[in-house]
Amino acid sequence: MIVKKTSMPILTGRQWRSHSIRPVQKNMMRRPRTFLYNKRGARPPSAESTRWHFFFSVCFCVAAIGHANCDLSGQAPDPTVSQPAGSPPQYTIVLAPGHGGAPSTQKEDKWDPRTRSYLGRYLYGDIYKNIHEHRLVLPLSMELQRLLTLTESAAGWQEFEKILSQFSTQQKFPRIVLKSHLTRTDSYDDHNFSKQDDRNHAAWRLYDYPDARTGRMQPGRLSRINALKPWLVVAIHTTPAGRSQPGGMGVVLAPGYQTFNTLRLISLGQKSIQSFYRMPWADKFLITDRGWSQYEGARSDAWVYFHGWKTRGGRSLRRWPEMNRGLRQNMLTWRYADPPGWEKLALRNEAGPYSTVHKNFRATGPFWDRERGQAEAWRREGGPLGYGGDNYYASDQLLRYVQYGARLQSSQLRRKGALNGIIKPFVSAYTLPTYVNAINAYLEIAHTNRSKDRQLLEKKYYQQTARSLAVGIYALFQQISLKPGYGPWRPRAAALDFKKYADLPGGNYFEQVVK
């Protein structure tokens, strides 16, 4: 929903508090807050008729017949490969500040076409005292988008070069255009929706969903992201820390077909359980249920990945009937959804891609062809860091730029113990890293309940953090030489190899995500 900005006011004082730490208030009777959008001087859409909601409804319908080519600004996205002679290379970036919808007490998210029902509550995000994750990450994301927009004009590029010069020993930098978009610029409590109003969640749902008034399917965030055909998606979240966890920042990763198929073969007795423990991320899988081991968590993730259901812990290899997670590849609008009529086939539970048991599962269909392909192996398996693919490299690199940039820009943050470091990744069958073709840098940039972490997102340092991320995003596309020092988490030197995705025999992988 973003937009071409030439400038954006810096949030200070009262404005800052309203964005980051304001308590949630129910039925708030005030006018929505004003943000700058892609068109100069435009104000946020009204509660009754949101501009972006209408626009993506159109995109959704068009995509359904195979001709989607839409942008958040209402125009066709600029091509990223064939630019006019002499123009700088252009890359589409999506910034995804976490959450934004209202807390829910019943199932009102994750619409499942198979059962025609919602499968879970809306994931509101973390809360610590009166600090809410969805508010904490938004000012940083908006400032980051403002900085990336500088690359779109010659005058703005001069300002962006000055920022690069703060970090680098170089005198000149190859120009690229980072065409950036935000998934949201507000939250549900910027509006005065009644408590029962479905619009408390609609704009911020992850998957496609039926309009509460008309019943027509609407695109969720995943479909809107994919409609832009981005090269890079940067998700910005925070997470809670347990009593013994001092804090830090980490990344979220989703394994690919190779890892999950190994887990399936272990369950079928065709591979030893040692195959799991030899995996480089065996000790990083999320333990989602109390009393489970990491192997049991990973095994349950494999069931969700292949069948759309969790399995119970212990020795059980049966699905958990109350834990339907849905066949997620068919819960969004993109190239890899199964053809119409798949719902009836899935209800038969026959051998094939819709079987709910491992031994009868067959990896056939457009999604499974994608999952077993080279591009997904590059994105999510192996890679420069040994596992996690290019998603891990991009995510880790951006966190390193935050660490490096914080110390470079602030003498106070160079003091010993002023910052927590980078912790090990969170690994599970996460949605966003899986269901986009873009490189996904999914950042848990702070622990909400640790002030040492939170300071990087709050008034004093959030602009510095945004500059660090902007330089890091540039460096993923174009290698730069950094100033010495400012350790211990210095970024790695190499840029990411995006070209291999653009040069695949079938065409640019990032642009293939929708028909």
Side-chain angles (χ1 to χ4, degrees):
M1 199 165 152
I2 296 159
V3 116
K4 194 167 185 180
K5 303 183 202 162
T6 54
S7 63
M8 190 183 101
I10 301 303
L11 303 173
T12 58
R14 184 177 178 184
Q15 289 176 301
W16 172 264
R17 289 191 295 274
S18 70
H19 276 77
S20 59
I21 60 173
R22 190 188 54 198
V24 171
Q25 301 177 35
K26 303 295 183 182
N27 304 323
M28 300 170 70
M29 301 301 294
R30 67 177 186 277
R31 295 177 63 187
R33 210 170 276 110
T34 299
F35 298 100
L36 295 181
Y37 278 62
N38 264 351
K39 290 200 174 176
R40 213 175 292 172
R43 291 179 178 270
S46 68
E48 291 296 329
S49 178
T50 57
R51 175 174 177 244
W52 67 268
H53 222 104
F54 170 78
F55 168 71
F56 275 110
S57 298
V58 175
C59 287
F60 178 80
C61 296
V62 174
I65 60 173
H67 298 286
N69 189 30
C70 52
D71 191 353
L72 288 172
S73 63
Q75 301 173 350
D78 297 317
T80 51
V81 181
S82 56
Q83 295 293 318
S87 298
Q90 179 170 297
Y91 308 100
T92 299
I93 315 293
V94 171
L95 308 177
H99 310 285
S104 61
T105 57
Q106 58 187 359
K107 292 181 178 180
E108 40 200 353
D109 198 11
K110 303 181 183 69
W111 177 260
D112 179 20
R114 183 173 45 180
T115 61
R116 300 194 62 77
S117 63
Y118 286 113
L119 300 179
R121 298 178 181 181
Y122 180 82
L123 298 178
Y124 176 75
D126 194 27
I127 307 173
Y128 172 66
K129 296 183 178 179
N130 66 339
I131 300 172
H132 297 251
E133 177 185 355
H134 72 96
R135 283 285 167 197
L136 193 58
V137 299
L138 188 56
L140 168 64
S141 301
M142 294 180 72
E143 174 65 5
L144 174 56
Q145 199 268 342
R146 185 189 73 83
L147 295 174
L148 296 180
T149 301
L150 294 174
T151 66
E152 296 181 28
S153 68
W157 176 252
Q158 292 180 2
E159 185 177 343
F160 194 79
E161 273 195 310
K162 293 177 182 177
I163 298 172
L164 294 173
S165 297
Q166 295 176 11
F167 287 70
S168 176
T169 57
Q170 295 172 210
Q171 299 300 314
K172 289 291 183 180
F173 302 88
R175 185 182 169 192
I176 59 176
V177 174
L178 300 169
K179 183 73 173 178
S180 58
H181 305 267
L182 281 162
T183 56
R184 67 180 180 93
T185 55
D186 63 354
S187 299
Y188 81 98
D189 53 356
D190 288 313
H191 307 277
N192 59 350
F193 302 140
S194 66
K195 187 175 181 180
Q196 293 76 27
D197 198 320
D198 188 64
R199 288 174 295 176
N200 282 305
H201 307 103
W204 301 281
R205 287 187 174 117
L206 196 58
Y207 298 99
D208 296 351
Y209 61 94
D211 183 275
R213 290 172 292 180
T214 67
R216 296 174 182 171
M217 293 300 293
Q218 302 296 319
R221 276 182 291 157
L222 282 171
S223 295
R224 300 198 298 272
I225 289 170
N226 285 331
L228 292 167
K229 305 177 184 178
W231 291 53
L232 176 67
V233 177
V234 181
I236 301 177
H237 288 252
T238 66
T239 191
R243 292 182 180 179
S244 60
Q245 168 58 262
M249 54 184 67
V251 308
V252 167
L253 302 175
Y257 182 87
Q258 176 184 330
T259 293
F260 285 127
N261 195 49
T262 296
L263 287 160
R264 185 176 75 93
L265 295 177
I266 293 171
S267 296
L268 292 172
Q270 298 177 24
K271 282 197 172 186
S272 164
I273 194 173
Q274 295 305 314
S275 300
F276 169 74
Y277 290 109
R278 285 194 292 268
M279 292 180 182
W281 42 18
D283 64 336
K284 301 168 184 67
F285 267 88
L286 203 63
I287 299 176
T288 56
D289 294 72
R290 183 176 297 179
W292 284 20
S293 66
Q294 285 177 308
Y295 168 68
E296 288 173 310
R299 186 181 65 180
S300 185
D301 281 346
W303 274 68
V304 171
Y305 174 74
F306 286 115
H307 312 299
W309 298 84
K310 285 186 68 173
T311 184
R312 296 183 185 275
R315 295 180 178 273
S316 174
L317 293 178
R318 295 181 179 273
R319 68 175 181 171
W320 197 338
E322 298 80 20
M323 291 294 180
N324 179 11
R325 293 293 183 260
L327 293 173
R328 296 176 292 175
Q329 66 268 25
N330 290 327
M331 293 163 64
L332 65 149
T333 303
W334 64 338
R335 177 182 291 274
Y336 310 103
D338 288 324
W342 70 268
E343 300 92 338
K344 292 182 179 180
L345 295 175
L347 291 173
R348 296 177 186 173
N349 196 21
E350 298 173 345
Y354 309 121
S355 174
T356 58
V357 293
H358 277 339
K359 67 179 182 180
N360 293 332
F361 175 78
R362 306 291 184 270
T364 59
F367 175 70
W368 296 110
D369 290 344
R370 169 192 185 263
E371 288 295 283
R372 292 182 298 173
Q374 179 63 71
E376 285 307 302
W378 285 336
R379 279 202 331 119
R380 291 151 56 199
E381 296 278 350
L385 304 184
Y387 65 97
D390 289 337
N391 283 354
Y392 186 18
Y393 185 83
S395 303
D396 181 70
Q397 191 78 330
L398 291 187
L399 290 187
R400 286 173 175 271
Y401 268 95
V402 171
Q403 292 274 332
Y404 173 83
R407 293 177 173 89
L408 181 148
Q409 296 173 87
S410 172
S411 58
Q412 293 181 350
L413 296 179
R414 294 172 207 158
R415 297 173 183 171
K416 185 177 180 180
L419 288 176
N420 290 316
I422 299 175
I423 61 177
K424 69 180 184 180
F426 304 92
V427 178
S428 188
Y430 289 107
T431 295
L432 184 57
T434 304
Y435 299 99
V436 296
N437 279 16
I439 303 303
N440 178 219
Y442 195 128
L443 313 180
E444 294 286 3
I445 202 167
H447 287 83
T448 321
N449 55 339
R450 295 292 182 263
S451 59
K452 194 182 294 186
D453 290 357
R454 207 169 55 242
Q455 64 181 330
L456 295 177
L457 305 180
E458 294 179 327
K459 179 181 176 182
K460 187 174 182 180
Y461 292 119
Y462 85 103
Q463 291 172 266
Q464 294 183 10
T465 304
R467 285 194 290 270
S468 301
L469 286 170
V471 174
I473 290 171
Y474 174 87
L476 288 176
F477 292 92
Q478 184 67 54
Q479 182 174 326
I480 65 174
S481 299
L482 294 174
K483 292 179 179 179
Y486 309 109
W489 300 95
R490 281 180 60 83
R492 296 175 173 87
L496 196 59
D497 183 8
F498 286 90
K499 190 174 184 296
K500 64 188 178 187
Y501 296 92
D503 291 346
L504 284 170
N508 188 321
Y509 186 65
F510 305 125
E511 296 188 345
Q512 291 175 6
V513 68
V514 292
K515 294 180 180 179

